[in-house]
Amino acid sequence: QVRLVESGGGLVQAGGSLRLSCALSGRTFSIYDMGWFRQAPGKEREFVAGISWSGRSTNYADSVKGRLTISRDNAKNTVYLQMNSLKSEDTAVYYCAAKVSGQNDYKSWGQGTQVTVSS
């Protein structure tokens, strides 16, 4: 059973930075593509960023390109989301998710971590 635990959320002023972390346990980390999603109050959950099992391929939502960076350390079973130049519209609960490389759907999810950006 895959277990994902996020950390690093908090309150930050607009223009500031945060780094989220997500640790995976229970399975071999390096077979999973990883993703970050977010859900703002009253809105549906949306994709933010994804990274392949090797780390060689990444993709981003248009709204975060150039400001948020996803990375991973397979030796530490951890995926990161570096968040710079934060805006009030980035306020949301952020979730990490895992899918076996080659599959379409993210089937394992963390509990989420709150990010609040004050303007």
Side-chain angles (χ1 to χ4, degrees):
Q1 187 78 5
V2 173
R3 182 169 182 249
L4 301 172
V5 178
E6 301 99 335
S7 61
L11 174 65
V12 64
Q13 288 188 333
S17 298
L18 280 175
R19 188 175 82 155
L20 306 183
S21 301
C22 173
L24 182 149
S25 61
R27 288 289 187 271
T28 302
F29 181 64
S30 59
I31 71 171
Y32 290 95
D33 298 334
M34 301 296 296
W36 286 97
F37 294 73
R38 67 187 181 187
Q39 187 167 19
K43 295 187 177 181
E44 293 187 354
R45 187 162 56 188
E46 64 174 358
F47 171 80
V48 175
I51 188 166
S52 63
W53 68 271
S54 65
R56 287 194 285 266
S57 177
T58 58
N59 59 315
Y60 297 90
D62 288 343
S63 59
V64 306
K65 283 180 181 177
R67 300 187 300 115
L68 275 57
T69 303
I70 189 171
S71 62
R72 67 190 292 160
D73 185 339
N74 285 356
K76 295 182 178 180
N77 291 357
T78 301
V79 62
Y80 305 96
L81 186 67
Q82 178 66 44
M83 310 169 70
N84 298 329
S85 301
L86 283 163
K87 305 175 181 180
S88 57
E89 51 262 46
D90 294 316
T91 295
V93 177
Y94 283 73
Y95 299 90
C96 74
K99 63 180 181 74
V100 175
S101 185
Q103 294 185 356
N104 291 329
D105 297 330
Y106 288 90
K107 294 186 176 180
S108 299
W109 294 83
Q111 293 290 85
T113 185
Q114 176 71 46
V115 172
T116 303
V117 183
S118 63
S119 56

